[in-house]
Structures are given as structure tokens and as C-alpha cells.
Amino acid sequence: MKPVPLHLLPDTATVQADGSLAIGGCDVGELAGRFGTPLFIYDEAHLRARCAEAVAAFGPGRAYYATKAFLCTAMARLAYEEGMHLDVASGGELYVALRAGVPANALAFHGNNKSLAELRMAITEGVRHIVVDSFDELDRLDSLHAEGLPAPKVLARITPGVHAHTHEFIATGQDDSKFGFNLGNGDAHKAVDRMRRSLSVQLEGVHCHIGSNVFEAGNFAKAAEVMAAFAMPLDLPELVLGGGLGVPYVQGEEAPSISQWGNVLLDACQALGVRSNVCVEPGRSIVAGAAITLYTVGTVKHIPGVRTYVSVDGGMSDNPRPVLYGSGYEAFLARAVLAPRPERARLVGKHCESGDVLIFDAGLPQDVRVNDLLATPVTGAYGHSMASNYNKLTRPPVVFVRDGAARLVVRRETYEDLVQCDVG
Ligand code: LLP
């Protein structure tokens, strides 16, 4: 297997004279020495460039960063500084964004089962939009209005009946979905009628999200067409077409850029004569390629005639995507970025189960050995955000690197953190 494809690495990644990796002008080996492993290393220039690209493509305030992909105080601030609004999908995400100093009127609040308390929080804080997902949620909004809360500005989440080509767990636009009001069976029209007549909400637009890690521009164009046809007669100020743009994770994968995605969506809307503001909510395409995860190899076990297992000091607790979705990743040695990778091995973590796999069939350099620093690229989205404490592993820290400087933005959890919530 060839060396790791360099286009999978963060924008500012460079191969140093000795063949080792630097990102943001920082030597990755030194970062491991300073912060330990496992370690999420984010290229700040890469993050800022993707935010700026989304804002340039759609216009200021029309690109919402989907915080579920990766959220911490520094990331919320960075996205907002670059001109993005933020999409939050729980009271917790809302709390972190507000705590980071992002104004409530730059936030859209999502979720298919928002609690009364979460809705109350969103209204009291004054979020820009609540994206309403069900008739039960409308009942809850009625009851909050009856309590005396103001009528929030809302969007109606529509399930457009467009099937996106992606893993079934992350496809959301098809009829058989827990999300939104179904367009095909008339629920979408009923919901919009109710919201237009309601005194408890102010309907400002419609929303859809067909799925995540979608590579085909045609899927997005189709959703834009269906939504435009639905939205035009309503003549509302906002049309939100969700996130979902895929990114390449492994050799051979290709995805449209954010600018190309913007052209597909905006051209489709323009062709149909949409006059509303067209907004989007990218998550993965902003952050995925910006980060690598750095691990230390702990054991190399050859089982003759069966396979080789290479174990690292993290695993399914910092990246559950291979186990959940069968997602592919690449791995390479931080000391030898350009080394060919002829050795076949299963890259596994340190959790107490056989399902704890990071790469089912990895190509690795022949001389991979204990104490080597092994990196997996494209781990900036849905890695840290879906991390767990399984087996009471402490969640890894996050470092932002830029212009030769590294700043710790999330510290490593400590053993003491693991018992913080225990009261008995
Ligand atoms: N808007 C809504 C309403 C969403 O539900 C999502 C993602 C996004 C925007 C952002 O989508 P993105 O641009 O990141 O594709 N854990 C899965 C992905 C779940 C996505 C959930 N919703 C994974 O690791 O692939």
C-alpha cells in the first residue's frame, strides 16, 4: 500500500527534512511529548479557512456550523469569529455555545425531541430560530406561550422524501425517518398551516437535512428542488437546506468542496426562482479534515496464518465511527509520513472487547513498533464529540496549532474527573 495520501492531511501539514510530520508549524512528535497521547491535533488555519469558505459561498449569517461535529469553547468562538452562525441540537450544546460568548441570536436550536426545559431555555435566551420537528413540540411551544413566554421565531423541519446515498444511520431525508414533518403524507402542509395560524410561534421558514457524509451533488440538488417547490408558495424569508457534505477519509474517495456544494445548492434554488435566504448547516466538512488523532503503539501481536494486531492507547472511546458505521480510516507513522505501508494489520484500541477496532484492514509501514506514534487523519468530526469514558478511559485533550504555536483548548480528563458525578 502506498504512503498516506497527503491531501487527507490538514492544510498546513508538512513533511519535515527527517520525514516526520509537522502541522501548523509544530512538530507532531514534540506535541505528543508535551500533551501525551491519544491527542486530537487541529490545524487552526484549516478550520478558519473552511468556515470562511462557507461564509463566502452562502453569505454572512447564512452558514451555520453544526456543532455536533465538534464542540468546545474554542471551536464555538472560532466559528463565530469567522462569520458563521451555530446550529445546536441540545440544551448542552446551547449551553456551551452561550458560555463561549456566541450571542443567542446567532444560534439555531434543533432536535427531534426537545424537552420543555430545553425549549424554555432556547426561548428565554432568545435563540434566532427553533427548528420545530413535531406536532408534540408545537404543543409544548403552545404551553410555554400560555405560561407567558414570547412567541419564538421558528422554522419547520420537513422530511422531503429524498434518499441520500450514505449509511442508513445517518440518512435523514427519507420518508421512514424520526425527523421532521413528512412532505409526502401531508404532515408538512398541516404543520405549516398550524404554525402560520399559531400565536405561540412566528414561522420564518422551512428546513431540511437529507443526511450526513453525502458525496453526490445530485442528492443535494434534488433536495433543493423539492424544498424550493414546497417553500416558494409559502413566501417565507428563510430556506435552510441542512448540512451533510461528505469528506474523503481514505485513498480514492472524493467529495465536492464547500464552494462547489454552495454552487449546486444556490444554482438549484436560483433556477427555481427562490427568493428566500438560502442557509446551510455544515458540520463535518468544516472540521473533519482539520484534525488528526495521534496514538502511541503499545503492542504488536503477530498471529501466524491469522493476522497481526497493532494496539494503540485509545480506540472506540475516541473514535466509535468504525464500529458504528463501518467507516474507513488511514493510519501512518508520524516519524515517516512518506513510508510505504505494505504490512497488513488490524488497528485496535485498548478496550475490553473485540469490536474495538479503528481500522479493520490497515496498511502500515513494515517497521511499525512499540512506542511508535501512529496518526489517523480526518478525525476532526464526530470523534471528540462522540467520545466516551468506556472502561473509564479519560477522554483525550484537544490542541489547536497555528504558526508554530500550540494551545491546549480541551485538557485531558483526569481520574478525578471520572468520579466527579458520583455522589454515593
Ligand atoms: N443539520 C442537521 C439537522 C443535522 O442533523 C446534521 C447532522 C447536520 C446539520 C450536520 O451534518 P454534517 O455536515 O456534519 O454532515 N455521527 C455521524 C454523523 C451524524 C450527523 C447527524 N446530523 C457520523 O459520525 O458520521
Side-chain angles (χ1 to χ4, degrees):
M1 211 172 163
K2 290 186 182 143
V4 65
L6 295 180
H7 71 270
L8 295 179
L9 303 188
D11 286 355
T12 70
T14 53
V15 182
Q16 304 180 101
D18 65 355
S20 67
L21 178 67
I23 304 176
C26 297
D27 179 86
V28 157
E30 273 175 28
L31 294 175
R34 202 167 139 199
F35 300 105
T37 60
L39 176 65
F40 285 100
I41 303 172
Y42 279 81
D43 176 358
E44 191 170 332
H46 184 128
L47 290 173
R48 289 189 186 274
R50 293 307 178 281
C51 293
E53 187 180 350
V55 173
F58 292 93
R62 295 192 189 173
Y64 286 74
Y65 168 57
T67 61
K68 69 204 82 186
F70 165 57
L71 179 61
C72 63
T73 303
M75 184 60 212
R77 282 188 189 141
L78 183 154
Y80 182 65
E81 275 166 21
E82 293 298 332
M84 294 192 86
H85 282 176
L86 273 63
D87 142 354
V88 293
S90 71
E93 288 182 354
L94 173 58
Y95 178 83
V96 174
L98 290 171
R99 264 288 300 265
V102 179
N105 73 4
L107 302 176
F109 189 53
H110 283 270
N112 70 302
N113 182 16
K114 306 175 191 77
S115 70
L116 203 58
E118 287 176 317
L119 290 169
R120 187 178 287 120
M121 178 177 176
I123 296 172
T124 315
E125 294 290 349
V127 300
R128 183 174 206 86
H129 286 130
I130 294 177
V131 185
V132 177
D133 202 280
S134 68
F135 292 107
D136 296 309
E137 183 175 342
L138 282 175
D139 293 344
R140 289 202 266 278
L141 289 167
D142 283 344
S143 70
L144 289 170
H145 192 59
E147 268 180 29
L149 262 61
K153 293 183 176 155
V154 300
L155 308 179
R157 176 153 180 178
I158 308 299
T159 317
V162 174
H163 193 93
H165 297 119
T166 186
H167 192 281
E168 94 177 91
F169 288 1
I170 54 177
T172 46
Q174 70 285 5
D175 285 334
D176 184 356
S177 170
K178 72 169 180 169
F179 295 103
F181 297 101
N182 191 294
L183 188 61
N185 73 5
D187 278 355
H189 289 92
K190 274 187 217 151
V192 164
D193 283 349
R194 174 167 164 185
M195 289 189 228
R196 292 190 115 172
R197 282 184 282 104
S198 170
L199 297 177
S200 333
V201 296
Q202 308 173 54
L203 182 65
E204 291 232 310
V206 290
H207 170 283
C208 80
H209 170 74
I210 56 169
S212 194
N213 208 27
V214 178
F215 288 82
E216 288 173 42
N219 287 171
F220 291 113
K222 180 77 201 150
E225 269 172 42
V226 173
M227 289 300 289
F230 176 69
M232 292 240 298
L234 302 174
D235 200 23
L236 293 164
E238 202 126 321
L239 172 61
V240 183
L241 295 173
L245 176 61
V247 299
Y249 282 93
V250 293
Q251 173 101 50
E253 276 182 345
E254 268 178 55
S257 68
I258 293 173
S259 317
Q260 289 166 337
W261 179 56
N263 287 338
V264 168
L265 292 181
L266 294 173
D267 287 353
C269 290
Q270 204 181 15
L272 291 155
V274 171
R275 281 177 320 212
S276 325
N277 297 331
V278 177
C279 303
V280 285
E281 299 160 342
R284 188 189 315 266
S285 53
I286 301 288
V287 293
I292 66 162
T293 310
L294 199 59
Y295 301 101
T296 303
V297 173
T299 68
V300 180
K301 196 174 286 180
H302 298 288
I303 310 174
V306 182
R307 76 169 80 241
T308 298
Y309 283 91
V310 173
S311 305
V312 294
D313 52 354
M316 64 194 293
S317 56
D318 59 73
N319 187 0
R321 301 193 68 259
V323 194
L324 276 173
Y325 320 115
S327 311
Y329 285 88
E330 302 273 353
F332 64 97
L333 288 175
R335 64 174 162 82
V337 182
L338 301 177
R341 298 173 299 163
E343 191 74 32
R344 310 305 310 188
R346 182 160 288 179
L347 185 68
V348 297
K350 60 179 282 151
H351 293 278
C352 301
E353 61 176 277
S354 301
D356 174 25
V357 176
L358 288 169
I359 305 179
F360 287 88
D361 186 22
L364 295 172
Q366 209 131 35
D367 62 343
V368 61
R369 52 185 183 248
V370 170
N371 290 330
D372 259 336
L373 290 174
L374 204 62
T376 49
V378 203
T379 54
Y382 304 108
H384 184 267
S385 69
M386 295 207 295
S388 77
N389 288 124
Y390 183 36
N391 290 134
K392 292 293 187 223
L393 262 64
T394 52
R395 277 174 290 199
V398 178
V399 160
F400 279 12
V401 291
R402 183 188 189 183
D403 299 334
R407 63 179 171 122
L408 185 66
V409 297
V410 180
R411 67 160 170 79
R412 186 180 303 283
E413 283 180 327
T414 62
Y415 287 157
E416 197 47 37
D417 289 328
L418 297 175
V419 291
Q420 274 304 303
C421 299
D422 295 6
V423 291

